[in-house]
Amino acid sequence: MKEGKPFEISKHQVMEAYRRVKANHGAGGTDGVDFTEFEKDLKNNLYKIWNRMSSGCYFPAAVRGVEIPKKDGKKRLLGIPTISDRVAQMVVRVNFEPQVEPIFCDDSYGYRPNRSALDAVGTARMRCWKMPWVIDLDIKGLFDNIDHELMMKAVRKHTDSKWVTLYIERFLKAPIVMPDGTVQERNAGTPQGGVISPVLANLFMHYAFDWWMKQKQPQNPWERYADDAVIHCRTEKEAKTLLFQLNKRMAECRLELHPDKTKIVYCRSDVNPEHYEHESFDFLGYTFRRRIVKSKHGNFFNSFTPAVSKGASQHLRDSIREIRRNHKTASLEELAERMNPVLRGWMNYFYKYSAGEARNVLNYVNLTLIQWIRCKYKSTGRKHLKSHKLLGRICKEQPDLFYHWQMGLRPSVG
């Protein structure tokens, strides 16, 4: 560290932070600088970050607001910091995260090492079999509404580093440039898209929800992934009482449960055959509901199980259709190169539970390939049968071309 610098931040930390940020890719922020532009003067750019951070005079730029569509047709606002700010946030994160990660609860799964969304789905599945009632929890705009005063109180509880608290507070307060060009000051929230936002959101929810549940409601297990959570109850009465208490708890933490999306669900099955207003819920892309399943002995029965949700199914169809439409003149090999990462990620996630329903969705991929062939090869004619036979022959010659073909979901050979 150079003499006279008030904060001990090494150049090595800044370089390692940049490597981690670059590995995550991402677009540029409000300054319009992408990674290619940033690396034209990489050494000097990283030196500036180090010099300003270690001097205490690093001030983040405004965050670029980007709207992305949600499953319900509405839009979610992401905040994209500049590359320099992402590096600075990563420096703070790698120093702060080890202080708080050990205190987080086992049933907090989001953005944490050695825990995944599939782990949360699997745990919820087992607990739904044991406890027939669920509170499907939806926190209204968590990332937009985190109270800065309470957030900083939690931060200071776990670090005495002046520069860590200084920069976290500055990152929280950085204004956001909205899609229409207007600039909004931020008095609450930690926008999704920021490098440090996940750990801050987890810390806030640890005290607002996780620790409170552990202390006040130890008889009710739960799973939480960021702002998506489910709580298991033994009776409807217990669920209603707990939901009332949760509303009060969220208000104390200056948050709010979504009145329309938060609901009590009955896990209906052959073991729990009664009817209730709500008998299904969505959690991390899976829909939990009563389904006919086959036992290991070959018997069929009704169980409360997860399978790919309608929203996740439609998202795959939309992604595949967009690739097909944007690459009408590409070769089939180029099309496979575009589609395979999407198919691989989707199948690896949704084949874990109720794979049969996921396979049904993937039939659409072969249908869209047939449509692509009909447009690409006019000589085959526009009849569905001819295109179908051609795709079957291609599959026979190149069975590993598409990822779902490798997994056995091949078109029939004509």
Side-chain angles (χ1 to χ4, degrees):
M1 186 184 73
K2 253 185 180 180
E3 195 174 338
K5 300 289 186 185
F7 299 137
E8 290 192 38
I9 302 171
S10 71
K11 294 176 183 177
H12 175 73
Q13 282 181 300
V14 177
M15 175 58 76
E16 285 301 309
Y18 175 73
R19 287 174 182 162
R20 290 181 63 174
V21 167
K22 186 182 178 184
N24 292 330
H25 306 292
T30 50
D31 60 359
V33 175
D34 59 16
F35 283 101
T36 302
E37 184 69 23
F38 191 87
E39 289 194 341
K40 288 180 180 178
D41 195 13
L42 179 62
K43 186 176 180 180
N44 190 44
N45 285 331
L46 295 182
Y47 176 83
K48 286 179 183 177
I49 296 170
W50 168 79
N51 187 43
R52 291 170 183 172
M53 289 193 75
S54 57
S55 300
C57 60
Y58 188 95
F59 289 89
V63 174
R64 181 167 68 93
V66 178
E67 291 180 333
I68 60 170
K70 296 169 66 176
K71 294 175 184 177
D72 58 6
K74 297 180 181 179
K75 293 182 179 180
R76 175 184 287 113
L77 184 68
L78 295 186
I80 311 298
T82 64
I83 292 174
S84 292
D85 288 345
R86 269 179 266 174
V87 174
Q89 286 191 27
M90 185 63 78
V91 172
V92 175
R93 178 174 174 172
V94 297
N95 281 272
F96 180 64
E97 192 168 31
Q99 306 300 314
V100 295
E101 172 60 31
I103 66 127
F104 291 157
C105 299
D106 289 341
D107 285 318
S108 168
Y109 291 89
Y111 317 117
R112 297 187 61 200
N114 304 315
R115 284 174 174 79
S116 70
L118 278 178
D119 292 333
V121 172
T123 303
R125 174 174 170 257
M126 289 188 296
R127 287 172 174 168
C128 284
W129 293 341
K130 296 176 182 179
M131 304 177 77
W133 294 89
V134 162
I135 300 176
D136 179 17
L137 209 63
D138 189 287
I139 298 168
K140 196 172 181 180
L142 171 65
F143 286 88
D144 296 328
N145 294 312
I146 286 176
D147 183 84
H148 286 178
E149 182 184 353
L150 294 177
M151 182 78 263
M152 291 309 301
K153 182 179 179 181
V155 168
R156 292 187 183 97
K157 180 179 175 67
H158 294 283
T159 181
D160 56 5
S161 171
K162 292 183 179 179
W163 68 267
V164 168
T165 54
L166 173 71
Y167 289 127
I168 286 178
E169 191 161 21
R170 287 181 185 174
F171 293 139
L172 287 173
K173 292 181 177 179
I176 184 166
V177 178
M178 302 299 286
D180 63 4
T182 59
V183 179
Q184 288 188 6
E185 298 298 320
R186 287 223 315 273
N187 300 312
T190 173
Q192 286 178 275
V195 170
I196 203 166
S197 293
V199 67
L200 293 181
N202 267 339
L203 179 60
F204 194 91
M205 286 303 295
H206 173 76
Y207 288 109
F209 176 78
D210 303 357
W211 185 249
W212 182 83
M213 284 293 300
K214 190 173 181 179
Q215 294 297 307
K216 303 293 185 180
Q217 313 292 336
Q219 73 280 7
N220 297 108
W222 49 271
E223 301 83 37
R224 183 180 65 79
Y225 194 102
D227 57 349
D228 201 355
V230 293
I231 307 170
H232 304 270
C233 302
R234 290 163 295 189
T235 65
E236 180 185 9
K237 182 180 178 181
E238 182 181 58
K240 287 182 175 180
T241 301
L242 178 51
L243 183 54
F244 177 78
Q245 294 170 337
L246 276 166
N247 273 296
K248 290 176 63 177
R249 175 58 183 171
M250 291 299 105
E252 290 172 358
C253 299
R254 299 165 197 175
L255 293 174
E256 181 185 357
L257 296 183
H258 199 293
D260 299 323
K261 296 181 180 179
T262 298
K263 60 186 179 182
I264 294 172
V265 178
Y266 180 59
C267 305
R268 185 167 169 249
S269 66
D270 282 348
V271 178
N272 305 300
E274 295 83 6
H275 288 274
Y276 189 70
E277 180 185 4
H278 301 295
E279 296 180 352
S280 69
F281 66 91
D282 285 0
F283 184 51
L284 301 176
Y286 278 86
T287 295
F288 286 68
R289 65 172 176 81
R290 177 177 177 262
R291 289 183 172 85
I292 297 175
V293 298
K294 187 177 182 180
S295 73
K296 60 182 179 180
H297 303 295
N299 300 318
F300 290 92
F301 64 100
N302 290 299
S303 180
F304 194 84
T305 59
V308 58
S309 67
K310 288 182 179 179
S313 300
Q314 189 60 50
H315 185 266
L316 176 70
R317 293 189 187 97
D318 292 343
S319 299
I320 295 298
R321 183 170 58 250
E322 184 178 0
I323 293 172
R324 186 199 81 208
R325 288 177 175 174
N326 291 341
H327 298 87
K328 292 179 180 179
T329 60
S331 67
L332 201 61
E333 288 75 16
E334 290 170 333
L335 199 67
E337 188 177 349
R338 297 280 183 174
M339 287 186 178
N340 280 342
V342 176
L343 293 169
R344 185 181 296 110
W346 195 90
M347 291 177 70
N348 287 348
Y349 188 77
F350 290 109
Y351 257 47
K352 178 69 173 179
Y353 302 106
S354 303
E357 294 197 29
R359 282 194 293 271
N360 292 337
V361 177
L362 286 162
N363 289 332
Y364 173 81
V365 183
N366 286 332
L367 293 176
T368 203
L369 290 175
I370 290 170
Q371 291 180 328
W372 182 86
I373 286 173
R374 290 169 67 185
C375 294
K376 175 79 171 177
Y377 303 108
K378 303 292 185 180
S379 61
T380 64
R382 301 190 67 83
K383 291 184 178 179
H384 176 86
L385 181 60
K386 288 186 178 180
S387 301
H388 182 86
K389 286 183 177 180
L390 177 56
L391 184 66
R393 288 197 295 272
I394 293 171
C395 179
K396 188 175 181 180
E397 294 166 2
Q398 299 175 270
D400 294 334
L401 183 59
F402 287 90
Y403 185 77
H404 66 299
W405 290 1
Q406 298 172 28
M407 304 299 288
L409 294 168
R410 300 171 183 170
S412 58
V413 180

